[in-house]
Amino acid sequence: MKVAINLDKAQVAEMYRQMALIRLFEEQCARQYQQGKIRGFLHLYIGQEAVAVGAMSVTRKDDYVITSYRDHGHAIAKGIHPNAVMAELFGKVTGCSGGKGGSMHLFDIEKRFMGGHAIVAGQMPLACGLGLAIKRKKEDSAVLCFFGDGAVNEGYFHESLNLASLWKLPVIFFLENNMYGMGTLVSRARAAGKDIYLAADAYNIPAAQIDGMDVAAVREATAEALKRVRTGDGPVFIEAMTYRFRGHSMSDASYYRESSEVEREQVRDPIPAFKKLAVTEGLISEKELAQIDKEVEAAVTESIKFANESPNPPMEALFEHIIAS
């Protein structure tokens, strides 16, 4: 991990707090799922926290974020309260989508968090639409579109990059390459090899490959990308090399990879790595980080209590938000 020379104490504390919050929140999600409190699909973000937190740390409130079904970390990093996220996972009316979206469909329009999309790569053309709206309104906000390596062989991927480049849309295409599309290694699914960022060259989009386990590197790359898209020069492509420590979803036993591989990647765990860096550089003390850990534990405990005590949506809600012709 590189030295975070451009971070002050408050920034270090907030980035650590967010990564620790997302990690503990998701560990508790797994427990609540096993207890039957959360139903349907549940895709955990554990191991990839540095990407969402690093990227979101340099965005503005008027920037849009849109992502895939592995969306808990992005939602919390964008500012959605953990209570509203946990309540959504429980299917409660106090959830950020009114209890109707569940794990894969977190939304908060006021915070410009536009989902949470279950269709692989389905969020990419929507990101172009958001970018076009920004351009038509002559605003200088941006769209951060997160997706996984499983999306890059979809038609949406190529159509979206092409259109965004032609129309110079203010979109950052943020690939989180965790090496596996469900259970398939990237190199087994993609004819052009594992360095996916090179694909952007065909669409005349500047691209970079970064260490997605290094929150400071993600922050720096995103800040540079935002400078370009805000000036109207068109999209940027970032490939963040990361790793998910859990299976594709709660039903995935990860038989397609060796335990030794997971253990090797866990040495790169972004949270202890950032903690060690911050303390070594004298940016924050062990005691202050321990206090943050206590606050995070309290916040996650409160989110579960809030979700448990929240009511289910009323029966009338079955007939809301339905389009009929």
Side-chain angles (χ1 to χ4, degrees):
M1 179 176 285
K2 64 195 298 184
V3 178
I5 54 175
N6 295 321
L7 297 176
D8 61 29
K9 183 175 181 177
Q11 291 168 332
V12 167
E14 180 58 17
M15 291 167 71
Y16 176 78
R17 186 190 70 80
Q18 289 210 9
M19 286 198 292
L21 174 60
I22 294 168
R23 175 69 58 90
L24 186 59
F25 182 90
E26 292 228 296
E27 289 173 346
Q28 284 297 330
C29 285
R31 293 189 181 95
Q32 300 303 314
Y33 186 90
Q34 290 166 338
Q35 293 174 13
K37 298 289 183 64
I38 299 173
R39 300 181 181 181
F41 288 100
L42 186 71
H43 304 84
L44 299 178
Y45 194 60
I46 293 174
Q48 299 182 215
E49 297 89 347
V51 180
V53 172
M56 236 72 82
S57 70
V58 287
T59 58
R60 302 187 319 219
K61 290 184 178 180
D62 63 341
D63 291 329
Y64 290 94
V65 169
I66 190 166
T67 185
S68 68
Y69 45 79
R70 201 178 304 281
D71 57 350
H72 311 163
H74 304 100
I76 292 173
K78 182 59 174 163
I80 301 179
H81 199 285
N83 288 8
V85 178
M86 189 64 82
E88 186 58 42
L89 302 186
F90 276 48
K92 298 299 184 71
V93 72
T94 52
C96 58
S97 300
K100 294 181 177 179
S103 170
M104 297 194 286
H105 302 286
L106 304 177
F107 268 79
D108 190 323
I109 293 175
E110 289 186 1
K111 294 191 180 300
R112 296 200 168 190
F113 185 81
M114 310 307 284
H117 294 266
I119 303 300
V120 176
Q123 73 275 27
M124 300 189 75
L126 299 177
C128 290
L130 291 167
L132 181 60
I134 291 169
K135 191 169 183 178
R136 289 288 180 88
K137 292 179 179 178
K138 302 186 185 303
E139 298 174 346
D140 71 340
S141 49
V143 183
L144 273 69
C145 176
F146 294 91
F147 54 98
D149 44 274
V152 303
N153 298 319
E154 297 288 338
Y156 284 148
F157 171 85
H158 300 281
E159 293 162 7
S160 299
L161 264 62
N162 185 59
L163 201 62
S165 182
L166 280 173
W167 291 354
K168 294 189 178 301
L169 301 179
V171 179
I172 299 176
F173 291 104
F174 222 119
L175 166 59
E176 297 188 63
N177 186 348
N178 64 20
M179 297 176 57
Y180 291 93
M182 293 189 74
T184 304
L185 196 64
V186 170
S187 58
R188 293 185 59 203
R190 186 170 183 272
K194 62 182 179 58
D195 293 323
I196 300 171
Y197 76 105
L198 298 175
D201 187 57
Y203 302 102
N204 197 27
I205 297 176
Q209 187 181 64
I210 63 172
D211 182 359
M213 307 296 263
D214 181 345
V215 68
V218 174
R219 175 184 168 90
E220 183 178 327
T222 308
E224 285 299 314
L226 283 168
K227 285 181 185 175
R228 174 184 166 89
V229 300
R230 292 198 201 286
T231 59
D233 288 338
V236 174
F237 190 103
I238 297 174
E239 180 180 15
M241 303 305 294
T242 184
Y243 196 82
R244 60 170 159 77
F245 297 151
R246 299 292 185 93
H248 171 71
S249 69
M250 287 297 292
S251 61
D252 177 13
S254 294
Y255 292 134
Y256 47 83
R257 60 184 183 183
E258 299 291 339
S259 298
S260 59
E261 177 187 304
V262 179
E263 292 168 0
R264 185 173 65 249
E265 292 293 336
Q266 284 176 331
V267 174
R268 302 170 60 221
D269 191 324
I271 299 177
F274 185 61
K275 182 177 182 178
K276 181 179 180 181
L277 171 71
V279 172
T280 303
E281 292 293 318
L283 296 168
I284 198 166
S285 69
E286 291 269 11
K287 184 178 179 181
E288 289 166 320
L289 291 173
Q291 178 59 36
I292 293 174
D293 288 338
K294 287 183 180 179
E295 294 168 1
V296 163
E297 186 174 351
V300 174
T301 299
E302 166 59 25
S303 73
I304 297 170
K305 182 175 184 290
F306 177 81
N308 269 319
E309 294 177 353
S310 292
N312 291 315
M315 290 299 291
E316 308 87 81
L318 286 170
F319 305 101
E320 297 172 349
H321 309 121
I322 294 174
I323 299 174
S325 61

